[in-house]
Amino acid sequence: MAKHTLSDTPRLRSYDVVIIGGAMYGSAVAWFLTDNPDFDGSILVIERDPSYANSATAHTNSCIRQQFSNPLNVEISRFGAEFIKGFKGFMGHDPRVPELTIQSYGYMYLADTDTFASQLRAAHAVQQKAGAATQLMTPDEIQAAYPFYNVDDLKLGSINTVDEGYWDGGTVFDWWRRSAQERGAEYVNGDVISMNRNGRKVESVTLANGCVVSCGKVVNATGPRGAKTAAMAGIEIPVEPRKRFTWIFSAEQPLDRDLPLTIDPSGVHFRQDGPQTYLAGGHSNYDPAVPFDDFTMDHSIWEDKVWPTIAARIPQFEAIKVVTEWAGHYDFNTFDHNAILGPHTEVENFFFVNGFSGHGLQQSPAMGRGTAELLTYGEYRTLDLSPFGYDRIATGRKFTETAII
C-alpha cells in the first residue's frame, strides 16, 4: 500500500469523533459517518503509520464467506457481498471508482469426524435460512466435482460458490480512506500515548508530539493493538496479536479447475490465488500472543505442517514451490473469537471495533456502517449488532460461533 503524506498536527483542538487507527476499520467508520446525511460532526482519524505496511489490513488474505454458524455473522457477510458487488454505487457512482466482483470459487469445509459433520449440518441449516447457497457434499460428490482431493478420511463437505471467495479489500480500503478525506474527515500521522479520562468519559487524547485533542467520542480501531489502546482509558479487553502465516506457491502440476478455499480438518487452509498460483495459510500449534513488531517467518511450520497437509489432501501438490511468504497478525479475541463492538459499559464515549480474529476485512462494511449508526443515533438502524457489545465481555456471556478459521 502506498505511503500517504499526512500532517502530524490536527487542525482543530476538539473533534466530535476521534478514531484511533486509520486502516480498514478506522477508514470504514470514517467513511460511513461521512456517508450518513444525519451526521454533521467533525472527524479526526489518527494513524501511527500512514504506510500501513505492518497493519493487519496489509497482510490480509482478503476473502469473504457466508459459512458461519451464527445467523448474525451470515447476515453480516451477506451485506458485505452486497457492498462489494455494488461498490461503485455505494460510492455514489464516482467515475474514478472501479466496479468490483467476488471471485466465487467458494469455501470448502472438510469434516473427518461425525462430530464435525454434525456441526456442518447444523450450520448449513442456519445458512440456508439466512439465504446463503451453501451445499453439503458427500465424499463421493466431492470427488466427482473436485477429483484432485483425497477424500478417504472424509465424512462430509460444505461449500458455497455464491459470493464466497476472494475480493479486492485493498481497493475498498483505499477508496474509503480517500473518500472520507475528500468529504472532510481529517487524517493525521500520530501515535496516541495517553488519554485523559474523567469518570465515565474520555475527555482528550494526547499524541506523542504533545498535541492534546479533546473529543466527543473515541473509537478504538487499532487492530492487534486494541488492548493497549483501551488500557489508556483504564479498560481491559481480551484482545492480543496472534501471528498468522501465508504462503503463495506454484505447482509442478497445476489443477485443471479453480481450487476452493479449502479448510482442511487440520486447520490448514489453501485456495486458488492466481491462474497458476495458490495460497496457503496456517499457524503454529503453539499459538501465543506476540510482540506488535514480530513478523518473523517460522519456516518449520511450512515444512512440518502446511506442506505435508496440502500434499496429503491434494496428491497432485506433492511437488510445489513457495513463491513468496509473509507473516501478519490477527487481532485475536481470546474470549470468544468474535468482534467487540460499541461503547464500553462504564466509559460511555469509548467505542470498540476490535477483536475480529480473522473475520475483520469481510465484516468491515456491516460493522463500519453499524458503528457509524451507533455514533450518529445512539442505536443500530440496519443490522442489530448489539450481540457483539462489550457487555458480554463484562458478564462472561460468549457470542457462539463454531466456524472459526
Side-chain angles (χ1 to χ4, degrees), residues 7-13 15 44 186 188 207 209 211 213:
S7 170
D8 61 1
T9 305
R11 291 195 295 266
L12 308 177
R13 293 186 177 182
Y15 293 82
L44 177 67
E186 182 182 349
V188 296
L207 306 187
N209 65 2
C211 287
V213 181

Side-chain angles (χ1 to χ4, degrees), residues 10-18 42 44 203 212-216:
R11 291 195 295 266
L12 308 177
R13 293 186 177 182
S14 178
Y15 293 82
D16 295 300
V17 177
V18 172
S42 53
L44 177 67
E203 294 186 338
V212 178
V213 181
S214 298
C215 48

Side-chain angles (χ1 to χ4, degrees), residues 16-285:
D16 295 300
V17 177
V18 172
I19 301 171
I20 307 173
M24 196 69 173
Y25 268 90
S27 291
V29 173
W31 184 82
F32 276 100
L33 280 173
T34 64
D35 196 55
N36 188 329
D38 294 329
F39 179 83
D40 60 359
S42 53
I43 303 167
L44 177 67
V45 181
I46 304 169
E47 171 53 48
R48 63 187 304 276
D49 177 17
S51 76
Y52 301 97
N54 289 330
S55 66
T57 301
H59 292 131
T60 179
N61 292 344
S62 201
C63 286
I64 187 168
R65 62 182 163 109
Q66 296 174 31
Q67 290 187 72
F68 288 95
S69 68
N70 188 293
L72 182 52
N73 273 337
V74 181
E75 290 293 342
I76 287 167
S77 283
R78 284 176 62 76
F79 175 68
E82 176 189 338
F83 190 90
I84 294 162
K85 295 191 299 182
F87 183 58
K88 193 178 183 76
F90 278 102
M91 300 300 289
H93 296 284
D94 185 327
R96 300 171 299 170
V97 174
E99 299 277 3
L100 296 184
T101 60
I102 299 172
Q103 293 182 24
S104 295
Y105 38 65
Y107 276 61
M108 173 70 85
Y109 279 85
L110 300 175
D112 62 349
T113 66
D114 291 333
T115 299
F116 192 11
S118 294
Q119 288 182 359
L120 290 184
R121 291 188 185 96
H124 173 255
V126 169
Q127 294 153 19
Q128 285 221 313
K129 188 173 182 181
T134 312
Q135 295 181 328
L136 297 176
M137 301 180 76
T138 66
D140 287 345
E141 289 169 336
I142 295 171
Q143 184 105 76
Y146 302 97
F148 45 76
Y149 285 126
N150 174 5
V151 301
D152 291 348
D153 62 332
L154 298 180
K155 302 285 188 180
L156 193 68
S158 176
I159 191 168
N160 174 12
T161 56
V162 179
D163 295 341
E164 283 200 354
Y166 170 82
W167 60 288
D168 188 352
T171 291
V172 172
F173 165 51
D174 285 340
W175 277 105
W176 274 344
R177 183 184 60 215
R178 184 187 306 189
S179 178
Q181 289 177 280
E182 289 177 352
R183 293 171 171 186
E186 182 182 349
Y187 280 58
V188 296
N189 177 11
D191 196 5
V192 175
I193 58 170
S194 66
M195 298 183 192
N196 176 27
R197 175 181 162 186
N198 184 4
R200 296 181 64 86
K201 289 195 173 183
V202 173
E203 294 186 338
S204 64
V205 302
T206 301
L207 306 187
N209 65 2
C211 287
V212 178
V213 181
S214 298
C215 48
K217 298 180 176 73
V218 180
V219 179
N220 181 357
T222 52
R225 294 174 179 265
K228 182 178 180 181
T229 301
M232 296 180 199
I235 296 167
E236 291 185 8
I237 54 172
V239 173
E240 60 189 33
R242 294 282 187 92
K243 196 183 286 189
R244 294 295 179 266
F245 299 93
T246 300
W247 298 266
I248 305 295
F249 64 92
S250 60
E252 190 175 287
Q253 297 180 7
L255 305 178
D256 64 353
R257 63 202 73 188
D258 283 346
L259 173 63
L261 196 154
T262 305
I263 299 93
D264 191 77
S266 66
V268 173
H269 59 272
F270 39 93
R271 66 164 171 87
Q272 194 76 31
D273 184 59
Q276 297 291 321
T277 56
Y278 306 90
L279 177 149
H283 59 85
S284 61
N285 294 329

